[in-house]
Amino acid sequence: MVEPNVPLLQDLNQYLQRNGIEEQHDDDNQSTLDQREFASRIKDEESYKDKILHEFLKRDEGSEKENKEIQQKKQFLEFCLNKSMGIITAERTIRDVSLFHLVDKCDTIYAFVSSSDHWSGSAKNIDSGDGEKSFSFSLKEFDDSSIEEFLALVEGTKKAQDISPECIIECCRIAHYLQSESLLEEIADVIKVSIDADNCACICILADQLQMPGLLQSSMRFVMDTLDKIEKNEIWDDFPESLKHHVLTLRNAAQSSIIARGSQSKVFFSSSHEFLGIFSDTLREHKERLNEAKMRQEEIIQERTRLNEARGRYAQQIDVRGGSVKDAAIKIEKQERRVQTLEAFYREQKAIFSRDATHGGAYKSSFSL
């Protein structure tokens, strides 16, 4: 006799038919699925091969273009041998300057003289041997004596360390203007070793104007040390606003460099927002570890209390707050004081960075400590 409200037993076919579900052929399904997976895999492989091939072709094109440019410059340098040009200054025209050395060292001169528009008008006079040097380049905006020293540097008759102190900054500007990377690096190395508290502000401005991060970083250390003095000096007005915010951000970050304290390597931050964000994450991690330690401490105390209750009146009781619990309590207290210090320090740094009114109190550029 069948009990009421109890469903009858069915086999699989009866269940499928009763519920309107058609029976599927596993072999057909598996075959179709395998075909789809195989087609998808082939498509992915073809796509990957096309991508790799495109990257190789692009790399070969770039390498071929670079080699072609190098070869073109070599050929042009051969053409420039034993030729000269004039450099126009504010006071005079310096004649018979080696065209070969200028083209070799200065990309601006190379681009200028290799242009057909500029070269066509002067090639005749240069090749004719009649002494006329009509081809020239103007450097009127620079000091005459500095131009002369820079040209000696280009022609190899003088080394960067031998440039006179009163001309070296101007030579640096000329090297930057003529896009002479090798000479610019040599001059910058000489300037770096001569930075002091008196000239650091001027060099800092120069490095910012010429976008020379190495020189800027070298001068910034001295600027930080004398910032209070610089801010009271007229030279502070010569600092571009972006550079002022950079200097102030570094000063604020250095004052709050608890993140980098004790580290021998530099710490890089993309902005003051990132600096404060990392500080906030550090503070949160300390709080989480503190809460975990407190919870674990409480669990141990409760466990010991339960064990004492289970032992009975005459059994030896466990010291609930002694031993490892006591040691842990001392460590937890120290950690709690550290978290409180970090919280106070974080509030202080938020106030420091908010003094920079630009970008809502956020310095947008990167800096390192």
Side-chain angles (χ1 to χ4, degrees):
M1 182 176 180
V2 179
E3 297 181 4
N5 299 326
V6 177
L8 295 174
L9 292 174
Q10 306 175 59
D11 61 20
L12 179 61
N13 290 332
Q14 289 176 334
Y15 176 80
L16 293 175
Q17 292 173 3
R18 181 175 179 180
N19 290 275
I21 302 175
E22 295 182 2
E23 185 176 5
Q24 302 291 333
H25 297 285
D26 292 342
D27 293 340
D28 293 342
N29 282 345
Q30 186 63 39
S31 176
T32 304
L33 181 61
D34 289 343
Q35 291 175 359
R36 287 200 301 267
E37 289 180 349
F38 179 75
S40 177
R41 186 168 65 252
I42 293 297
K43 184 178 179 181
D44 290 341
E45 289 176 356
E46 292 293 335
S47 177
Y48 178 75
K49 285 165 60 179
D50 290 342
K51 181 180 177 182
I52 294 298
L53 182 61
H54 177 72
E55 289 179 357
F56 272 112
L57 289 174
K58 187 176 179 181
R59 189 180 304 172
D60 289 341
E61 288 174 0
S63 178
E64 184 179 349
K65 182 180 178 181
E66 184 178 351
N67 292 334
K68 185 178 179 181
E69 290 175 352
I70 293 173
Q71 189 62 30
Q72 286 177 344
K73 186 170 183 179
K74 285 182 178 179
Q75 292 176 356
F76 193 78
L77 282 170
E78 291 177 2
F79 177 73
C80 293
L81 281 170
N82 302 320
K83 291 182 172 63
S84 61
M85 66 179 296
I87 298 296
I88 302 173
T89 73
E91 301 176 7
R92 57 181 173 140
T93 297
I94 304 175
R95 300 184 180 279
D96 298 327
V97 180
S98 170
L99 184 61
F100 174 86
H101 290 95
L102 281 171
V103 170
D104 184 39
K105 293 290 180 65
C106 306
D107 289 346
T108 300
I109 298 294
Y110 170 56
F112 181 71
V113 299
S114 62
S115 169
S116 58
D117 294 338
H118 294 106
W119 183 255
S120 59
S122 57
K124 181 178 179 181
N125 287 332
I126 290 178
D127 291 336
S128 63
D130 58 4
E132 295 291 333
K133 303 296 188 297
S134 61
F135 189 68
S136 59
F137 190 85
S138 176
L139 292 176
K140 287 183 178 180
E141 58 268 43
F142 300 104
D143 177 69
D144 184 85
S145 58
S146 298
I147 294 173
E148 191 171 2
E149 292 208 34
F150 179 78
L151 293 177
L153 192 64
V154 169
E155 294 180 336
T157 58
K158 177 175 284 193
K159 294 183 179 179
Q161 56 265 33
D162 297 328
I163 298 175
S164 57
E166 59 272 13
C167 293
I168 193 164
I169 297 298
E170 193 76 345
C171 285
C172 185
R173 293 184 184 277
I174 297 172
H176 180 269
Y177 180 73
L178 296 181
Q179 298 181 41
S180 177
E181 282 191 30
S182 58
L183 296 182
L184 186 61
E185 289 180 4
E186 291 178 16
I187 295 171
D189 289 340
V190 175
I191 295 176
K192 286 177 185 178
V193 298
S194 62
I195 299 174
D196 55 32
D198 295 327
N199 62 20
C200 62
C202 296
I203 294 174
C204 184
I205 295 173
L206 173 72
D208 180 69
Q209 291 173 342
L210 303 186
Q211 295 296 299
M212 300 173 65
L215 186 59
L216 180 64
Q217 185 176 343
S218 298
S219 62
M220 196 65 73
R221 179 169 61 88
F222 290 89
V223 171
M224 292 293 100
D225 294 339
T226 59
L227 185 56
D228 292 337
K229 181 180 177 182
I230 292 174
E231 285 182 298
K232 297 174 184 178
N233 196 293
E234 292 181 357
I235 197 170
W236 182 246
D237 297 330
D238 295 333
F239 276 65
E241 286 301 314
S242 60
L243 182 57
K244 284 184 179 180
H245 294 306
H246 190 174
V247 172
L248 292 174
T249 298
L250 285 178
R251 193 265 307 274
N252 296 340
Q255 291 176 353
S256 58
S257 58
I258 193 168
I259 296 175
R261 191 166 296 162
S263 175
Q264 296 299 320
S265 58
K266 292 182 180 179
V267 182
F268 179 84
F269 303 100
S270 62
S271 67
S272 60
H273 269 323
E274 183 184 42
F275 174 79
L276 291 174
I278 293 175
F279 202 139
S280 178
D281 290 341
T282 302
L283 177 59
R284 186 179 64 253
E285 290 174 3
H286 280 285
K287 284 183 176 180
E288 290 175 354
R289 287 199 294 268
L290 176 62
N291 291 333
E292 289 173 1
K294 286 182 176 180
M295 290 174 60
R296 178 56 182 160
Q297 182 83 328
E298 187 61 30
E299 288 174 358
I300 294 174
I301 291 174
Q302 291 178 3
E303 180 65 22
R304 288 185 175 185
T305 301
R306 284 195 296 271
L307 287 174
N308 281 339
E309 291 175 354
R311 285 171 179 264
R313 180 181 300 178
Y314 300 105
Q316 183 177 1
Q317 298 291 304
I318 302 174
D319 186 356
V320 175
R321 298 186 178 276
S324 61
V325 172
K326 183 178 179 180
D327 295 337
I330 296 173
K331 294 178 181 179
I332 288 173
E333 185 180 358
K334 289 182 179 179
Q335 181 68 4
E336 196 159 17
R337 287 199 301 267
R338 177 169 175 78
V339 168
Q340 291 172 355
T341 302
L342 285 174
E343 286 178 329
F345 200 70
Y346 178 66
R347 289 193 296 269
E348 176 187 342
Q349 300 321 303
K350 287 186 70 175
I352 288 175
F353 279 106
S354 66
R355 295 170 193 167
D356 179 6
T358 304
H359 305 298
Y363 179 73
K364 294 296 184 181
S365 299
S366 60
F367 61 94
S368 60
L369 296 175

